[in-house]
Amino acid sequence: MNKLRILGFLFFVVVQFVQAQDKPLNIVWINADDLGRELSCYGHPVVQTPNIDGLAEQGVLYINAYANAPVCSASRSSQITGMYPTAINSLDHRTLNMTTLPDGIQPITEFFKKAGYFVTNGNGLNLLKSGGKKDYNFIPSIKYDGTDWNQRKQGQPFFAQVQIKYPHRIFSRDEKNPINPDDVRLPACYPDYPLLRADWALYLESVQHCDAIVGQILKKLEADGLAENTIVFFFGDHGRPHLRDKQFLYEGGLQIPLIIRWPNQLKPNKKDKRLVSLVDVAATSLAISGIKTPYKLHGKVFLGNNIEKRTYIYGFRQRTGDAVENMRSITDGRYKLIWNRTYDRPWMQLTSYKKLQYPAFALYHYLYSKGALKAPYNQFMAATKPEFELFDLKKDPMEFKNLAGKKACKKVQERLFQTLSSNLKIYEKNMIFEDEPTIAKAKQGSKIYYKKASEQQKPEVSVEASYEEIVKDWEKRLLQ
């Protein structure tokens, strides 16, 4: 009798499991603006991120996940298509010469819709009551079915994006859990100045605001009875919003957190060391939903039955605002090669956005003018860049010691460059490089932005203020 009961129970469990697998899987992307790996679950001190930490305990934390572009519009255009931004002419930030997607490429939203999914894009700040960020560099605009998965028909599966504006600048103070600048630990790629510590503390407080919204979204899934049949992807759209990070192909600009919770499929509280690119999230989301595309995506599937190994991470940077660049990168996880194709200009060329929003931008210029910016930080102020930068990320995670051209690293450099350059012939096939009139238009737009935003955000500082005056204004606002 006991054996019959056990067999009956096991049969019941198997039936329930099979029925659960027959239900279409819901997909949720929680996408945070400018979020690096400064989270408690990634080992960062001081910051409090209990909701994101809890998600990591319930799922898998990826310790080698990267964006492929260090600015939002290029990265998001890549995410939503599963293609590298150069391949869809979407690399220049807020692309002025927007084109339709080439070669029959479509946003993955279209494939989900054709499969019967309800497709949403919601603002996490107000719990999906309004639309979320749509920062794409192609036309036409994506048409979403709604902002909240509860707007769908009963039983209809959904693909939902939840956009969280934090920790994007302008940073927001966390009055409930303030962070003392004296307690923070700056990354070693920055000099230890009080102004930078204060700015970093505000960044971490903005990360805590992000965490609070993640908690609200996860509670909503639970309350709606959807948590068990929904796979949650949590990530940042690119790296952290600091001087040597955002807009650059160094680790701080491309490193992102990636946490995935897939109930009954992924073992909880695990860490995954595989290389993962954000472009892979699209390919994987479609694959685990049983949706096929009529063409090969650049993203690789890293979950489910048809896993593809990723050997390299690629990085792409073009114009951002008035800072015109042409940079590409490749890493195998140990070594990284950056190809500065516009090596005739400085890293610290004018970028109106950073001049306005980043204390470090003015501080570096001011200290350097006095001869007070010490090595190795003063490297970033050079008048030109080397054409190639090669770093051993294991020995030099801050990327200060350029090994390019060194005899001992010749084979590594040649291998990475050959792989990068040969693949760029494919990935850049549809790239339309901006001409001089387009660049001039972009620079003029940035100039207008700087003037208007300065008058709103810093009324006590003239648009013509020197870097010394800007630094003193930052000190007045952040240190007093």
Side-chain angles (χ1 to χ4, degrees), residues 250-306:
Y250 298 118
E251 291 292 276
L254 296 177
Q255 284 181 338
I256 57 163
L258 174 63
I259 299 170
I260 302 175
R261 183 182 73 185
W262 188 358
N264 304 314
Q265 291 291 330
L266 293 179
K267 291 182 179 180
N269 204 23
K270 297 291 183 182
K271 292 184 179 180
D272 195 313
K273 296 181 180 179
R274 288 178 295 169
L275 290 175
V276 178
S277 172
L278 262 189
V279 76
D280 301 337
V281 172
T284 300
S285 296
L286 290 170
I288 61 178
S289 302
I291 301 172
K292 295 183 179 180
T293 57
Y295 51 86
K296 179 69 174 173
L297 300 181
H298 288 151
K300 295 185 179 295
V301 177
F302 61 94
L303 296 177
N305 297 323
N306 300 301

Side-chain angles (χ1 to χ4, degrees), residues 30-32 35-43 47-61 164 166-167 204 206-218 232-236 257-261 269:
I30 303 178
N31 195 345
L35 179 63
R37 296 179 188 161
E38 287 69 45
L39 303 167
S40 181
C41 53
Y42 276 88
V47 68
Q48 299 179 44
T49 52
N51 297 296
I52 298 172
D53 299 346
L55 183 66
E57 290 173 359
Q58 297 165 6
V60 177
L61 182 148
I164 301 177
Y166 301 113
L204 296 182
S206 294
V207 171
Q208 291 176 172
H209 284 303
C210 174
D211 180 77
I213 295 174
V214 170
Q216 293 169 10
I217 296 302
L218 296 178
V232 174
F233 292 79
F234 170 76
F235 50 85
L258 174 63
I259 299 170
I260 302 175
R261 183 182 73 185
N269 204 23

